[in-house]
Amino acid sequence: MASQRRRSIRGAPSRPRSVTERQPLAAAVAVVAGATRGAGRGIARALGEAGATVYCTGRSLRGSPSPYKRPETVEETAEMIIAAGGSAVALRVDHTVEEEVEALFHRIDRERGRLDVLVNSIAGEDPLMAQWCPFWKTDLRNAEAAFRQSLVSHIITAKYAAPYMIRQHRGLIVEVTENDVLSAGGNPVTQTVKLALKGLALNMAAELRPHGVAAVSITPGFLRSETMLERFSVREENWRDGGKSDKNFLESESPLFVGRAVAALAGDPAILECSGQLFSSWELARHYRFTDADGRRPDWGAIDIDFSMHPPALLQLMKTGSEIQLRWLSELTRRTKRFLTQLPQTTVARRRTRAR
């Protein structure tokens, strides 16, 4: 059943299901950690659109910006949800501080009595991870701070959310990462964080499965975050003008698109069967049939990417890395299958065998 479900999501589109035509999360309570901007803001808006009450958390409030010095705030995100007819609460939380995170979930439990969705989208565009270079040239002066802000914060937040989901025997934890394969660009700090977030969801899934709670990781495609719009010198209203300098930008997606992907997963009663998997916004759009805010369905996985602006050395690095990954994954698959044969059958497996 689980394997059939995964093939359905990753293969041809199944029957149409649109999160914009109904509110599958009408009674749900969601936390989006890192809802200030980018993917986090889009996910918070989409969860509100699907009917959830959304707690939008982050470090940026009006008059008290985060160290990023960006203008966006969690209050703005909550106001967008409310203006669209949804329910939202904006709270300042530093997700690297355990006491603040613990207090957040205590408050939600006191106010709502339930927790259905946690999305970890913290520090997705942390400037500390912005350097692109070989590992032997990496500036590591801020490495520890980057790891704590971009990875440890996710672990802290999941740690304090999970007991509430376990108590009610349902829930979904989502880790927002980069790329739908193992690799991610940047430097060793960035690469380690993005890979670790995929592994975090994978490991949490196994521990949470007996409790009826799912964990997944997800990547957007070419995301038109606030930072990316600035980089292309466009606004959301005229974003297509960015295609004049990079035609790949014409297949970009607004943050709401990956948000609708998360909302679709959260509203799927069979989500536990896909727990642990790495998803992309475009694959999920094929399956659940949702669209972006403008009615488009961008598909980063189907386009013929224009690599003409990339230097040959970088393209060769990508090719070499992909070939190494394939061999690595092939060997891991072989070893994992062998390890499964060495494990004793579980009680559940033995019961299923006797039932046959």
Side-chain angles (χ1 to χ4, degrees):
M1 177 65 176
S3 61
Q4 290 174 350
R5 178 70 182 168
R6 286 194 291 271
R7 281 198 297 272
S8 177
I9 287 182
R10 295 185 179 278
S14 65
R15 63 182 179 84
R17 284 178 287 181
S18 173
V19 297
T20 60
E21 294 175 354
R22 54 193 177 89
Q23 289 197 320
L25 306 180
V29 175
V31 172
V32 180
T36 312
R37 63 184 66 85
R41 171 172 282 185
I43 293 168
R45 290 179 61 198
L47 289 170
E49 175 185 76
T53 296
V54 186
Y55 282 77
C56 307
T57 68
R59 294 181 297 172
S60 295
L61 296 177
R62 290 192 179 100
S64 181
S66 76
Y68 297 173
K69 305 300 182 184
R70 294 282 313 176
E72 302 85 15
T73 68
V74 289
E75 294 146 314
E76 289 175 350
T77 303
E79 288 164 2
M80 290 176 179
I81 296 169
I82 294 168
S87 175
V89 179
L91 295 173
R92 189 195 184 282
V93 178
D94 185 338
H95 286 266
T96 67
V97 180
E98 288 199 55
E99 293 79 6
E100 292 190 23
V101 176
E102 185 177 21
L104 164 68
F105 290 109
H106 278 316
R107 171 175 173 166
I108 293 170
D109 188 49
R110 184 174 66 252
E111 294 178 350
R112 308 291 173 175
R114 62 186 292 171
L115 176 64
D116 301 279
V117 183
L118 165 65
V119 180
N120 271 329
S121 189
I122 310 159
E125 294 182 325
D126 195 320
L128 296 178
M129 299 194 296
Q131 183 187 22
W132 279 71
C133 62
F135 71 87
W136 57 88
K137 295 183 179 180
T138 307
D139 182 352
L140 295 174
R141 285 175 293 181
N142 295 312
E144 287 86 355
F147 281 133
R148 183 158 189 84
Q149 183 61 36
S150 305
L151 176 57
V152 177
S153 63
H154 288 237
I155 299 172
I156 290 172
T157 308
K159 168 187 174 180
Y160 286 101
Y164 295 99
M165 295 182 177
I166 290 170
R167 182 186 69 189
Q168 63 197 20
H169 207 70
R170 68 174 185 275
L172 172 65
I173 298 175
V174 180
E175 294 294 332
V176 180
T177 185
E178 179 184 329
N179 216 337
D180 66 336
V181 293
L182 289 181
S183 62
N187 60 68
V189 176
T190 307
Q191 293 161 353
T192 299
V193 167
K194 301 304 183 182
L195 178 58
L197 294 177
K198 299 165 190 177
L200 178 59
L202 179 66
N203 291 332
M204 287 193 298
E207 295 185 57
L208 291 170
R209 181 179 288 273
H211 304 285
V213 180
V216 301
S217 54
I218 191 169
T219 179
F222 197 154
L223 187 71
R224 292 197 307 275
S225 65
E226 296 84 357
T227 303
M228 191 59 66
L229 289 171
E230 289 179 4
R231 189 174 301 172
F232 277 84
S233 300
V234 294
R235 301 178 308 279
E236 185 59 28
E237 294 76 16
N238 69 328
W239 68 267
R240 289 175 179 81
D241 291 346
K244 298 173 183 177
S245 58
D246 182 354
K247 71 178 187 180
N248 295 317
F249 197 59
L250 296 175
E251 199 66 22
S252 64
E253 64 190 62
S254 80
L256 189 63
F257 192 62
V258 69
R260 287 177 172 172
V262 171
L265 287 172
D268 191 333
I271 183 58
L272 194 61
E273 297 174 10
C274 301
S275 187
Q277 301 305 302
L278 167 61
F279 293 110
S280 66
S281 59
W282 60 91
E283 278 188 322
L284 293 174
R286 295 175 199 164
H287 177 70
Y288 291 107
R289 311 300 291 168
F290 59 82
T291 62
D292 207 339
D294 58 4
R296 296 167 54 251
R297 187 174 292 131
D299 195 327
W300 188 247
I303 71 164
D304 184 10
I305 299 174
D306 180 10
F307 287 105
S308 62
M309 292 183 292
H310 292 70
L314 178 57
L315 294 177
Q316 184 58 53
L317 175 63
M318 292 178 180
K319 184 175 185 296
T320 302
S322 296
E323 291 170 344
I324 292 172
Q325 281 185 46
L326 281 174
R327 292 197 297 271
W328 192 77
L329 289 168
S330 178
E331 280 300 300
L332 280 185
T333 299
R334 181 184 62 80
R335 293 169 188 164
T336 305
K337 287 180 177 178
R338 181 194 64 203
F339 181 61
L340 278 173
T341 65
Q342 295 172 315
L343 286 171
Q345 281 189 304
T346 63
T347 302
V348 173
R350 285 196 295 269
R351 286 174 182 169
R352 287 175 179 169
T353 301
R354 286 197 297 268
R356 294 192 191 101

